[in-house]
Amino acid sequence: MLIIGEKLNGAIKSVAEAINNRDAAFIGDLAKKQLDQRADYLDICSGKPDGDAETLKWMIELIQTDHPDVRFSLDSPNPDTILECIPLCKNPGIINSVSLEGSKIEKIFPAVKDNKGWKIIALLLDETGMPETVEKRIESFHGIMEKVKEYGIEENRMYFDPLVFTVGTSPDSFLNFIGASKKIKEEYSNAHIVSGLSNISYGLPYRKAINHAFLIGAMMSGMDSAIMDPLNRDMLGGVYAAEALLGEDEYCIEYLSAYRDGLFGVQKQ
Ligand code: THG
């Protein structure tokens, strides 16, 4: 499972403040903590259109100084921001995200086509807005795959985000998510499925119960990557546990190593 750490996001109030104040210590600390918890990539998102590229560039330079091996997930709705940031990254990362909206694909695909290490998150979204049904999501998936083939991008570099609504108002939200995931894996077994983990519980109390159930159910249905909080030990434990149950962690070596290293916050006496 690919873990994309979500904490460096201007939508989080304390992070927005740190961005405004150019508080390098605060941002550096959040980067280090997530990497210590084995985040594979760090998602970076400014949270606002003004100065978007400048903010992401500042975070990239800052974090790379202390962590030369770090890989970023460039999270911006603006393709020009992403294009400005790519050359600054020492290691290939993830584009978060493209979709059939606007000119994102036409701008991003040529830039990363031959830049093989880069992965791409694609939202199953078109010009008509948020998809309610499995069929609508699969329509967007086919539209995106056409472009993937047209530009000659390998399908194993693609991470599809089927999008999740809160189950509070959309009772079929999870079922639609796994319906789309399964269809994608049936058609292209090398493509990946990714999701944020907290949208499912928006507006509900005791969100962590729902988020946890979503994580496990989604992993059982083929999700192999998540934008998540690796400092949340229940969720991180869930990732390692589900991988072991899926037969992807022989002899529970990874689970045991994470436990021993204190990643779950509990250790042997
Ligand atoms: N799909 C894609 N990209 C995305 C999302 C997605 N990017 C943004 C978002 N959704 C994922 N990122 C966040 C970042 C922070 C929070 C939620 C989603 C958040 N964090 C709480 C905090 O840090 O205060 C704590 C969360 C916790 O404890 O679990 O709310 O869906 N492609």
Side-chain angles (χ1 to χ4, degrees), residues 60-116:
I60 292 168
E61 303 278 9
L62 167 71
I63 296 166
Q64 278 186 160
T65 307
D66 285 339
H67 308 279
D69 296 332
V70 69
R71 290 171 184 254
F72 293 105
S73 156
L74 305 175
D75 193 346
S76 170
N78 183 348
D80 294 323
T81 293
I82 291 176
L83 292 180
E84 277 187 57
C85 290
I86 289 173
L88 292 181
C89 296
K90 287 189 183 142
N91 306 297
I94 300 180
I95 309 294
N96 187 13
S97 54
V98 302
S99 72
L100 293 173
E101 270 185 323
S103 57
K104 284 179 184 166
I105 286 186
E106 276 69 24
K107 286 190 166 175
I108 301 282
F109 277 9
V112 292
K113 177 167 110 62
D114 299 319
N115 217 334
K116 301 275 184 205

Side-chain angles (χ1 to χ4, degrees), residues 180-222:
S181 303
K182 285 181 175 165
K183 195 99 180 49
I184 290 169
K185 295 298 273 187
E186 261 168 44
E187 291 189 25
Y188 293 94
S189 59
N190 292 330
H192 302 276
I193 308 294
V194 65
S195 173
L197 295 187
S198 50
N199 297 344
I200 190 72
S201 62
Y202 187 76
L204 290 163
Y206 202 54
R207 293 182 67 174
K208 68 180 182 182
I210 296 171
N211 294 350
H212 202 265
F214 174 80
L215 168 72
I216 307 303
M219 282 183 72
M220 299 295 154
S221 307

Side-chain angles (χ1 to χ4, degrees), residues 6 14 22 70 155 170 220 233 261:
E6 73 178 15
S14 55
R22 289 292 188 257
V70 69
E155 53 195 61
S170 298
M220 299 295 154
R233 288 162 161 172
D261 292 347

Side-chain angles (χ1 to χ4, degrees), residues 6-7 9 12 75 96 121 123 161 196 198-199 227 229 232:
E6 73 178 15
K7 303 291 281 188
N9 192 315
I12 301 171
D75 193 346
N96 187 13
I121 293 179
L123 308 178
D161 183 339
S198 50
N199 297 344
I227 305 163
D229 179 3
N232 180 330

